[in-house]
Amino acid sequence: STHFGNTKNTKITKTATSGPMDWGGSPLQWRLCGRSNRIKPPRAHYDAVSGKVVLNMDHFCPWVSNTIGYANYRYFLLMLFWTFIGCVYVVSMLTPYVYVNGIRIPKNMKHSAYLLLMYITTFSFAAVLMMFLLFHAMLISTGQTTIDFWGNMDRRRRARLHNDPPFRNPFDLGVRRNWEQVFGRVHWSVAVLPSFREPPWPPYATKEDGGDVHKRI
């Protein structure tokens, strides 16, 4: 994750200190963090675990023991994707041993129990990973993080309650450009491979500022 306020990242610091301020409570709002006493750009949030402000914070993941945000969101997605592919491979290899009426019983009953346990565990894990992948695919396609998703739901609810115009997510640049915000302007076959490419800048691009998404090699 990218910790905002890191003096080594001059690009983030310069952008934050010179960027436009919107103090009206909208998603574009720049705020002062009451816990870290640092400026919080749009979509940045304070992480209580690390004690720092994280750009595009999505959530804290106990599996990787780190906060998922701007700098490592792509790696988190690829971890989910390739782990899911690995589970699908294991399930496909075990499927010939499983039938509608149960598992084919070899001579070694203990071996059969191990196969059945492995199949059920891997299949269940694959199902959970698939739900995570679908959820995050929806988030990317609509230009949201997990925190944005719940916040935007509340903004839509309040807009309906007060008969205000429907809330529109200012960070939704369209499906293709939303995906480019995470993976860059690269072919999908390159996007799914591990790399040290930096995420596209800026992390809070909007349609109003042109939604400039830079290509990262």
Side-chain angles (χ1 to χ4, degrees):
S1 58
T2 295
H3 295 144
F4 179 73
N6 187 345
T7 55
K8 293 182 180 180
N9 199 328
T10 56
K11 178 171 61 176
I12 297 176
T13 305
K14 183 178 179 181
T15 303
T17 55
S18 62
M21 295 291 183
D22 177 4
W23 302 98
S26 74
L28 301 174
Q29 178 184 14
W30 289 65
R31 297 156 293 169
L32 183 65
C33 179
R35 296 188 180 183
S36 64
N37 201 32
R38 292 175 175 173
I39 294 175
K40 291 200 296 186
R43 313 183 84 183
H45 299 276
Y46 179 80
D47 173 35
V49 178
S50 63
K52 298 182 179 181
V53 175
V54 180
L55 283 172
N56 284 24
M57 180 175 171
D58 190 88
H59 68 285
F60 180 84
C61 178
W63 296 99
V64 299
S65 189
N66 197 6
T67 307
I68 306 302
Y70 165 71
N72 62 1
Y73 186 54
R74 184 176 77 241
Y75 301 110
F76 170 75
L77 293 173
L78 292 179
M79 179 194 71
L80 294 181
F81 175 75
W82 287 113
T83 305
F84 173 73
I85 294 298
C87 289
V88 170
Y89 174 78
V90 173
V91 170
S92 64
M93 293 295 101
L94 293 177
T95 296
Y97 293 93
V98 180
Y99 295 94
V100 176
N101 295 325
I103 188 168
R104 186 173 64 187
I105 305 297
K107 293 181 179 179
N108 190 332
M109 294 290 293
K110 187 177 181 180
H111 179 65
S112 175
Y114 287 152
L115 287 178
L116 183 58
L117 178 62
M118 184 185 300
Y119 182 87
I120 295 174
T121 303
T122 308
F123 184 87
S124 302
F125 198 42
V128 172
L129 286 171
M130 183 176 67
M131 288 188 288
F132 270 113
L133 283 170
L134 291 175
F135 177 67
H136 282 281
M138 181 274 294
L139 292 179
I140 297 174
S141 298
T142 54
Q144 302 180 96
T145 64
T146 300
I147 295 177
D148 291 339
F149 174 76
W150 295 111
N152 291 342
M153 283 186 61
D154 184 63
R155 292 184 181 97
R156 293 187 184 95
R157 180 186 62 81
R158 285 189 280 116
R160 289 193 300 268
L161 273 174
H162 297 90
N163 293 321
D164 292 332
F167 171 78
R168 304 294 181 188
N169 178 19
F171 304 110
D172 186 358
L173 308 177
V175 175
R176 179 174 179 177
R177 296 178 73 186
N178 288 338
W179 282 85
E180 289 176 349
Q181 276 289 93
V182 177
F183 292 96
R185 291 175 181 167
V186 295
H187 193 267
W188 68 267
S189 60
V190 177
V192 297
L193 296 177
S195 74
F196 293 101
R197 289 180 292 110
E198 292 183 10
W201 187 265
Y204 37 80
T206 66
K207 289 183 178 180
E208 285 71 16
D209 59 21
D212 188 21
V213 179
H214 299 288
K215 180 178 178 181
R216 298 295 182 186
I217 305 300

